[in-house]
């Protein structure tokens, strides 16, 4: 019998291991299908993915203050089946797909149980819905799954679901990968992470003091147990074309215009000048000094910028400002040089919630991704019965008030906006995201005429 392999988690992975105890860091991909899933075939496909990507068949080993990945020699995922009641609390206005997504985002039991030494990293479920539809839900620990990993996982699974039955079956001589790729800290060029001790101290102090000055959305309930909820922001093809044309004209990416729209929506009910924090997550895979043995894992780094909003800003001017601040920070390698600082402060906030406003654990107003996922395969997905899907991660522990996961699907901008409830209410977030949409639609008109 092959012995399990593994490695100690890296610094960024460690911060996600700590965060998952409090509810932040549960990644979910949920697919709505109009055909009853062949659970045997689906599980076989997921086992094939586990064989190809060792991080998916790893367990998280917790020993005193350290965490390690321990990779099983064989796939172990077992699908579970559920019936979704049509009477979920506070879900009258959301779709069954969204209901399942929220249920899975808040199922952090495997990683909240501190009495267990090891916990699986990957789970799969099938939900039967009241209207003869089904949802396939894949849930992963974020230490093993950033957004790029989630996109790759979805694409590979859909390809396997599309194949003929005999092709999907596991072969005895199938090649099994055993080696987990190195942690991000071991792949970043060393010269990009160097920082003098004095500079590190000043930066840590700066981050700490600035975080106390940042403005937050109004908190609805700071006492009750928190959980993650979702609001969806969708634009039509014409509206999306206008937004993309505006981004091209102004030399920015979609993350810049989403940040600007969010800041304007948050500030519209406030008076005077306020500072807001925006975290931009960037995929570092293309700039590692060593090639990854497997693209699966967590390889995003964050840049935190603060923006002063006075009111009266126009979207495109503010978008250029927010994107420019991020771009300049990235050019000076702050996503690498400040990586250890931000991980340390994130862990300190988890251990001492009182360091944040109203013990809310809010580290920024919003988070966005530098690059938007582009998916032009929706027609092909429908051919195999997948009508819709949603993917995001939980934020009800430490994190922003709004985390935006954006995708352009066959020309339509589709954003999953995750927030901590009841710290913020669904009504409040529907209003904020609704204002964001109005701002984006209005700004797109100039480029559609």
């Amino acid at each position: 019998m092959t012995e399990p392999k593994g490695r100690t988690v890296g610094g960024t992975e460690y911060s996600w291991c700590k965060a998952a105890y409090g509810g932040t860091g549960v990644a979910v991909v949920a697919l709505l299908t109009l055909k009853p899933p062949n659970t045997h075939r689906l599980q076989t496909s997921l086992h094939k993915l586990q064989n190809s990507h060792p991080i998916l068949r790893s367990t998280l080993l917790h020993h005193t203050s350290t965490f390690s990945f321990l990779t099983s020699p064989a796939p172990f995922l077992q699908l579970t089946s559920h019936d979704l009641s049509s009477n979920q609390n506070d879900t009258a206005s959301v779709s069954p797909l969204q209901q399942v997504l929220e249920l899975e985002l808040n199922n952090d039991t495997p990683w909240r149980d501190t009495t267990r030494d090891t916990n699986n990293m990957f789970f799969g479920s099938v939900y039967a819905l009241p209207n003869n539809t089904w949802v396939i839900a894949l849930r992963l620990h974020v230490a093993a799954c950033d957004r790029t990993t989630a996109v790759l996982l979805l694409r590979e699974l859909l390809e396997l679901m599309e194949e003929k039955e005999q092709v999907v079956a596991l072969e005895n001589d199938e090649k099994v990968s055993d080696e987990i790729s190195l942690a991000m800290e071991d792949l970043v060029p060393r010269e990009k992470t160097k920082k003098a001790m004095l500079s590190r101290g000043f930066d840590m102090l700066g981050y700490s003091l600035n975080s106390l000055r940042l403005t937050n959305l109004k908190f609805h309930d700071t006492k009750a147990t928190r959980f993650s909820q979702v609001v969806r922001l969708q634009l039509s093809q014409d509206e999306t074309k206008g937004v993309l044309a505006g981004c091209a004209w102004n030399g920015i990416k979609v993350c810049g215009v989403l940040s600007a729209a969010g800041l304007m929506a948050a500030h519209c009910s406030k008076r005077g000048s306020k500072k807001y924090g925006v975290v931009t997550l960037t995929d570092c895979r293309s700039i590692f000094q060593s090639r990854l043995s497997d693209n699966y894992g967590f390889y995003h780094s964050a840049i935190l910028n603060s923006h002063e909003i006075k009111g009266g800003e126009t979207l495109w001017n503010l978008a250029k400002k927010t994107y420019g601040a991020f771009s300049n920070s990235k050019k000076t390698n702050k996503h690498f040089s400040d990586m250890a600082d931000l991980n340390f402060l994130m862990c300190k906030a988890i251990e001492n919630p009182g360091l944040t406003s109203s013990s809310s654990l809010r580290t920024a107003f919003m988070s966005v991704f530098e690059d938007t996922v582009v998916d032009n395969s929706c027609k092909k997905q429908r051919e195999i019965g997948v009508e819709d899907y949603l993917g995001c991660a939980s934020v009800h522990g430490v994190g922003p008030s709004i985390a935006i996961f954006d995708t352009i699907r066959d020309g339509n901008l589709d954003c999953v906006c995750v927030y901590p409830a009841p710290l913020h209410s669904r009504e409040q977030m529907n209003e904020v995201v609704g204002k964001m949409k109005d701002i984006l639609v209005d700004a797109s008109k100039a480029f559609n005429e």
Side-chain angles (χ1 to χ4, degrees):
M1 187 71 178
T2 306
E3 288 294 324
K5 296 184 178 181
R7 64 165 173 82
T8 304
V9 301
T12 301
E13 294 163 339
Y14 177 82
S15 66
W16 285 117
C17 291
K18 296 282 286 184
Y21 282 149
T24 290
V26 179
V28 177
V29 178
L31 301 87
L32 178 70
T33 175
L34 304 182
K35 300 177 181 178
N38 182 327
T39 54
H40 172 72
R41 181 178 175 184
L42 176 59
Q43 183 157 294
T44 300
S45 298
L46 292 170
H47 282 181
K48 188 177 181 72
L49 289 174
Q50 283 190 301
N51 273 335
S52 300
H53 307 290
I55 193 72
L56 296 183
R57 64 176 197 276
S58 295
T59 56
L60 191 63
L61 177 64
H62 181 211
H63 180 66
T64 58
S65 61
T66 63
F67 296 90
S68 299
F69 295 129
L70 194 63
T71 306
S72 168
F76 53 77
L77 184 145
Q78 295 294 319
L79 284 171
T80 59
S81 298
H82 309 272
D83 286 321
L84 181 67
S85 168
S86 59
N87 297 314
Q88 299 287 329
N89 291 332
D90 192 31
T91 56
S93 61
V94 303
S95 68
L97 175 61
Q98 188 172 322
Q99 290 181 41
V100 171
L101 179 72
E102 291 182 357
L103 282 172
E104 289 287 315
L105 285 174
N106 295 298
N107 186 357
D108 56 5
T109 305
W111 306 304
R112 185 183 285 275
D113 186 359
T114 56
T115 63
R116 298 180 61 180
D117 292 332
T118 60
N119 291 293
N120 292 347
M121 305 290 287
F122 186 24
F123 299 86
S125 301
V126 176
Y127 288 80
L129 307 184
N131 54 346
N132 290 322
T133 55
W134 294 261
V135 171
I136 300 167
L138 308 178
R139 176 165 40 92
L140 303 96
H141 194 299
V142 165
C145 179
D146 60 8
R147 192 173 66 154
T148 300
T149 296
V151 170
L152 292 171
L153 176 63
L154 176 61
R155 288 176 180 169
E156 289 189 38
L157 178 62
L158 291 174
E159 287 173 4
L160 289 170
M161 291 172 66
E162 189 181 12
E163 291 177 358
K164 300 297 182 184
E165 191 86 28
Q166 63 268 24
V167 178
V168 177
L170 290 172
E171 301 291 342
N172 291 331
D173 59 350
E174 181 186 355
K175 185 178 179 181
V176 178
S177 178
D178 288 326
E179 184 180 352
I180 297 178
S181 292
L182 295 173
M184 179 160 56
E185 287 78 6
D186 297 321
L187 295 164
V188 176
R190 289 190 176 182
E191 64 273 12
K192 293 182 182 292
T193 62
K194 286 183 178 178
K195 184 191 286 190
M197 187 65 71
L198 188 60
S199 296
R200 188 172 299 279
F202 277 125
D203 286 346
M204 292 278 280
L205 183 61
Y207 277 128
S208 301
L209 293 176
N210 285 335
S211 66
L212 297 174
R213 298 171 183 153
L214 295 177
T215 303
N216 291 288
L217 287 178
K218 184 179 179 181
F219 298 136
H220 177 70
D221 183 345
T222 61
K223 303 297 183 183
T225 301
R226 288 173 202 156
F227 48 94
S228 289
Q229 288 186 327
V230 168
V231 173
R232 199 169 181 180
L233 189 164
Q234 294 174 291
L235 300 186
S236 68
Q237 281 196 0
D238 284 342
E239 291 162 351
T240 302
K241 284 180 183 177
V243 169
L244 295 179
C247 289
W249 177 264
N250 288 284
I252 64 174
K253 294 185 178 182
V254 174
C255 62
V257 75
L258 289 176
S259 299
L263 291 168
M264 290 172 68
H267 193 72
C268 66
S269 61
K270 291 183 170 61
R271 295 180 179 179
S273 176
K274 304 289 183 182
K275 275 193 175 182
Y276 300 85
V278 176
V279 171
T280 306
L281 293 155
T282 181
D283 188 345
C284 301
R285 286 169 173 79
S286 63
I287 41 183
F288 289 150
Q289 62 182 359
S290 303
R291 187 173 180 178
L292 287 168
S293 57
D294 185 4
N295 275 319
Y296 279 51
F298 191 93
Y299 297 106
H300 274 69
S301 190
I303 290 176
L304 172 61
N305 294 115
S306 60
H307 303 284
E308 186 174 3
I309 308 298
K310 299 178 180 179
E313 290 88 353
T314 62
L315 180 70
W316 293 113
N317 283 339
L318 183 57
K320 286 191 288 185
K321 177 184 173 184
T322 58
Y323 182 75
F326 160 73
S327 181
N328 289 334
S329 295
K330 188 177 178 183
K331 285 176 184 175
T332 58
N333 295 313
K334 284 183 76 67
H335 54 313
F336 291 140
S337 62
D338 289 10
M339 185 162 53
D341 300 343
L342 290 175
N343 288 336
F344 175 79
L345 291 172
M346 178 177 173
C347 290
K348 284 299 175 186
I350 293 168
E351 294 166 3
N352 304 278
L355 295 175
T356 59
S357 176
S358 302
S359 297
S360 64
L361 287 173
R362 294 312 99 194
T363 55
F365 158 60
M366 71 187 301
S367 67
V368 293
F369 287 89
E370 177 187 3
D371 294 308
T372 303
V373 173
V374 178
D375 182 2
N376 294 318
S377 62
C378 296
K379 182 179 178 181
K380 187 180 248 186
Q381 292 169 20
R382 284 190 287 271
E383 289 174 357
I384 60 173
V386 176
E387 189 68 16
D388 195 7
Y389 69 89
L390 296 171
C392 61
S394 62
V395 297
H396 56 274
V398 67
S401 285
I402 308 176
I404 298 183
F405 297 77
D406 57 320
T407 307
I408 297 176
R409 303 186 192 180
D410 288 346
N412 299 74
L413 181 63
D414 193 341
C415 301
V416 179
C417 308
V418 194
Y419 63 93
L423 188 68
H424 301 299
S425 67
R426 198 185 291 275
E427 181 182 16
Q428 176 190 17
M429 298 310 292
N430 274 326
E431 182 180 355
V432 171
V433 173
K435 287 177 182 175
M436 285 180 63
K437 180 175 180 177
D438 291 342
I439 292 166
L440 291 169
V441 170
D442 187 59
S444 72
K445 292 176 180 176
F447 293 93
N448 273 330
E449 295 174 352

